[in-house]
Every structure is written in C-alpha cells, then in structure tokens.
Amino acid sequence: MRHLLNPLDFSVEELDELMDVALDISKNPQKYAECCKGKKIATLFYEPSTRTRLSFEAAMLNLGGSVLGFSSAASSSAAKGESVADTIRMVSCYADICAMRHPKEGAPLVASLNSSIPVINAGDGGHQHPTQTLTDLMTIRSLKGRLNNITIGLCGDLKFGRTVHSLINALVRYDNVRFILISPNELRVPDYIRQEVLTGNHAEFKEVTQLEDVMPELDILYMTRVQRERFFNEEEYIRMKDCYILDAKKMELAKPDMLVLHPLPRVNEISVEVDKDPRAVYFKQVQFGVYIRMALILKLLEIQV
Ligand code: NCD
C-alpha cells in the first residue's frame, strides 16, 4: 500500500503518468464518472481549508465515490485528546482512503504508520503540501508545455510556506530549472531547503528581496501569502504582511508569456486588477487541482481504467 506524504514519494516517471491520467480526465470526465463507486474518502482536516478539502471531496464525487470527514480539530475527538494514531485506526474501518491536514509537521506520517488505508498529506504545518505541488506541476506542464528549462520566481513567505517547500523539492529533479527566491530576510527559505535541496541537487538559485528587479527574467512567478497562523507574534506579521503586492504596473515588467501562479487563498499579495491579465492562471490552477487529485485517488486505490 502506498501513501503520499512528500512529493518525492513518486518518481518523475510516476508524476508524468499521473499528469497524463489527469489530462485524460479533463478531456473525458464521463469515462471516469463511476470508477470509485462504493469507495469513500475521509477528509481529516485539523486546520482550516477551503480549496484543498473541497478539491478532494469534489475529486471523489466526480469519480462516483462518497466523502466523510471533519473540517476542524474542534469538531473532532482531537478536542477530547484523541491521538492521530487512534483516529486513523478508527477511520481505516470507515473509509478506503484519507486526506489529512494537520498543524503539526509529521502528523500524516504518524497516521500512515498506523493506517490500513492510503494516507494523503494535505498539508502538515510549515512542512510539505504534496498535492498542491502536483497541482502546480500540472498547471505549469499544461500551460507552459514543459517542466524543464524554466526560471521560476517564488515570492513571499518562503519560510513558513509549505507549498513552496514541496514545489522546490519536486522541481529540482527537472533539468535546467533556475530558482529565484524573493522574500524579506526574515522570511527566507529554511536552511534545509537551501542546503540539502537546492545546493545538494546542484540547482541554480539566487535569493533577492526586490520583486521588480527580477520580474523580466521569470517564466513563472509563484506568489504566496504571508502565513499569519505560523507567526509567533501578531506585530511581526503586521510588519511583514504586505511586503509584496503584485499589481498591473509590476506585470508590465514581465515577459508576455510569464505565468502567475498562487496556491490561494490570496490576501493582499496580488491586486485584483491582475486577475484579468491572461498571464494570471491561479484560478485555472484550482481546476487542475481537482483533475490531479482524481488521478491520485485512482493511483493510490490501484484502480485501472
Ligand atoms: C496553501 C496551504 O494550505 O498551505 N493553501 C492551499 O492548500 N491551497 C497555501 C496557503 O494557505 O497560503
């Protein structure tokens, strides 16, 4: 039985296959409409989410399966002190697969060690968010046509932003990907990403603080929100929160075919005027997220179509 805890749990070839299935799903949704009849996904969300949880639920419903779960720790037995290990043993009796989001790094790993059903990490603290990465890879591959030979700018909260950590982890495996890390000094990527992931894989990267300066170089701009819930104090958050705001004026500096991605939710970091720019693809990204999660559910449940 396989789980998805980290984007590296799948090889580059497996990711390609997954994206091929997702593409086929997008073209022939009817073909897949009954594949998971009688199957259930449990969404165990100990931390707020709109997109990710609904995306998993929509994915399973589109496959003809059904969903159960909870959307906050307060509404589950975690509030009574139940451990993740016990919760997953119980959920294994109710569902065929589960997606877990948890504020503690490593919680989905603990779940996987105690589970008799596949566990998908739907975001663990400031650590990883592999299904967002699958979504991001699918978006870039579909709209840019390739995952190699790109310069990607990652901008905003690179310290706490788990989507950034997972995406860097995944992209270092492709040829000639240049990373430009744009953040205030206080919100730079963690050391392990800089040393083990980037330097360790001989990836070309630079760290800068000004977005405008690097805009013309980028093929992809991946904007992120400052992760308020992971700050130790509110004053620090307030000082950082509007460090980057992408607006129409900054978009004028970019290549005509640069793509803007964002895992969402957006707060202030992309001004709404950018939404009408054809290079802004963050809402298309949401749609790709459903297709790739459908493909992932099929893979982990070992359902052949
Ligand atoms: C991201 C997350 O939860 O890490 N959201 C998402 O899943 N699409 C990004 C964020 O919350 O900023």
Side-chain angles (χ1 to χ4, degrees):
M1 185 178 60
R2 296 197 50 190
H3 306 284
L4 176 65
L5 303 173
N6 182 304
L8 302 184
D9 291 344
F10 289 144
S11 66
V12 170
E13 292 72 31
E14 284 179 308
L15 288 181
D16 267 335
E17 282 166 24
L18 209 59
M19 288 187 262
D20 290 343
V21 173
L23 185 66
D24 192 56
I25 291 172
S26 72
K27 291 184 184 151
N28 309 295
Q30 275 315 317
K31 192 171 126 192
Y32 296 86
E34 309 246 302
C35 290
C36 282
K37 215 166 169 197
K39 301 281 185 196
K40 296 188 212 76
I41 188 167
T43 50
L44 314 177
F45 277 61
Y46 294 82
E47 207 185 58
S49 163
T50 316
R51 221 155 345 270
T52 306
R53 186 171 57 82
L54 296 185
S55 181
F56 274 112
E57 297 187 355
M60 191 49 137
L61 295 172
N62 290 345
L63 293 167
S66 41
V67 303
L68 67 167
F70 54 82
S71 57
S72 76
S75 65
S76 77
S77 282
K80 299 182 190 164
E82 186 173 54
S83 68
V84 163
D86 281 3
T87 303
I88 195 71
R89 283 193 193 103
M90 181 266 303
V91 169
S92 296
C93 305
Y94 299 154
D96 303 282
I97 185 166
C98 85
M100 175 182 284
R101 167 167 294 189
H102 202 285
K104 285 214 182 93
E105 286 80 2
L109 171 65
V110 172
S112 72
L113 299 172
N114 292 280
S115 178
S116 52
I117 58 173
V119 175
I120 302 169
N121 176 3
D124 61 331
H127 188 216
Q128 297 278 348
H129 193 343
T131 62
Q132 182 62 47
T133 296
L134 300 182
T135 304
D136 302 340
L137 296 178
M138 169 98 190
T139 307
I140 298 172
R141 195 185 85 158
S142 303
L143 301 179
K144 201 84 208 162
R146 60 179 194 275
L147 286 163
N148 52 10
N149 301 320
I150 51 170
T151 296
I152 179 165
L154 298 129
C155 178
D157 186 347
L158 308 188
K159 179 177 179 185
F160 297 116
R162 56 192 172 196
T163 62
V164 168
H165 306 158
S166 287
L167 185 56
I168 296 177
N169 248 295
L171 279 176
V172 290
R173 298 194 289 184
Y174 296 88
D175 289 335
N176 195 25
V177 177
R178 272 181 76 220
F179 297 87
I180 305 190
L181 308 174
I182 309 146
S183 74
N185 277 325
E186 294 86 338
L187 299 178
R188 289 168 67 196
V189 289
D191 285 343
Y192 82 92
I193 296 281
R194 187 178 309 99
Q195 282 153 17
E196 288 160 39
V197 183
L198 288 162
T199 310
N201 286 287
H202 310 287
E204 190 183 335
F205 73 99
K206 64 178 174 184
E207 296 186 84
V208 301
T209 55
Q210 288 297 319
L211 173 59
E212 291 87 330
D213 297 353
V214 295
M215 250 346 232
E217 296 176 51
L218 306 178
D219 299 308
I220 309 284
L221 172 59
Y222 193 89
M223 292 296 294
T224 63
R225 157 183 86 87
V226 175
Q227 305 280 301
R228 178 181 201 162
E229 64 278 32
R230 311 214 191 281
F231 275 68
F232 291 112
N233 75 60
E234 183 72 5
E235 277 157 44
E236 188 78 343
Y237 166 72
I238 290 168
R239 200 163 64 77
M240 294 290 152
K241 72 183 177 65
D242 292 325
C243 51
Y244 301 103
I245 298 178
L246 182 67
D247 55 16
K249 194 152 175 289
K250 290 198 187 83
M251 286 298 285
E252 284 172 17
L253 304 168
K255 289 183 184 171
D257 62 348
M258 186 194 77
L259 299 178
V260 185
L261 277 71
H262 190 308
L264 305 177
R266 145 182 61 189
V267 188
N268 280 330
E269 59 281 354
I270 302 181
S271 131
V272 289
E273 67 189 14
V274 177
D275 297 359
K276 55 181 186 296
D277 190 309
R279 295 170 291 182
V281 296
Y282 28 89
F283 292 112
K284 287 189 185 156
Q285 206 176 337
V286 176
Q287 182 66 66
F288 286 121
V290 179
Y291 298 138
I292 199 79
R293 287 183 176 94
M294 290 170 75
L296 175 66
I297 291 171
L298 293 175
K299 181 171 175 70
L300 294 178
L301 290 177
E302 297 176 14
I303 295 174
Q304 308 286 345
V305 182

